[in-house]
Amino acid sequence: MTLHVYRVTRDGAVTQDFGTVNVKGKENALPIRDAYPPCDCPRHRAAQAAAR
């Protein structure tokens, strides 16, 4: 993936341009799950428990 990285102020003015950065992905993509919530981390478990 190629990204152009720069820093902006609150008003949207570019203050620093870091140029183009190439980011390598992982060799194996994460599996796609159709279940909700998408994982069993504490944040999603708490949200699932609150929805019940």
Side-chain angles (χ1 to χ4, degrees), residues 12-36:
V14 176
T15 60
Q16 194 171 10
D17 189 340
F18 295 99
T20 302
V21 178
N22 291 318
V23 181
K24 294 182 180 181
K26 294 182 179 181
E27 289 182 18
N28 298 326
L30 296 174
I32 298 173
R33 294 181 50 182
D34 293 332
Y36 182 84

Side-chain angles (χ1 to χ4, degrees), residues 1-2 4-5 10-11 13 15-16 19-20 22-23 25-26 32 34-38 40 43 45 48-49 52:
M1 176 177 9
T2 303
H4 190 90
V5 182
R10 291 181 187 189
D11 300 325
T15 60
Q16 194 171 10
T20 302
N22 291 318
V23 181
K26 294 182 179 181
I32 298 173
D34 293 332
Y36 182 84
D40 287 330
R43 184 177 103 192
R45 283 195 309 253
Q48 186 179 24
R52 290 182 184 181

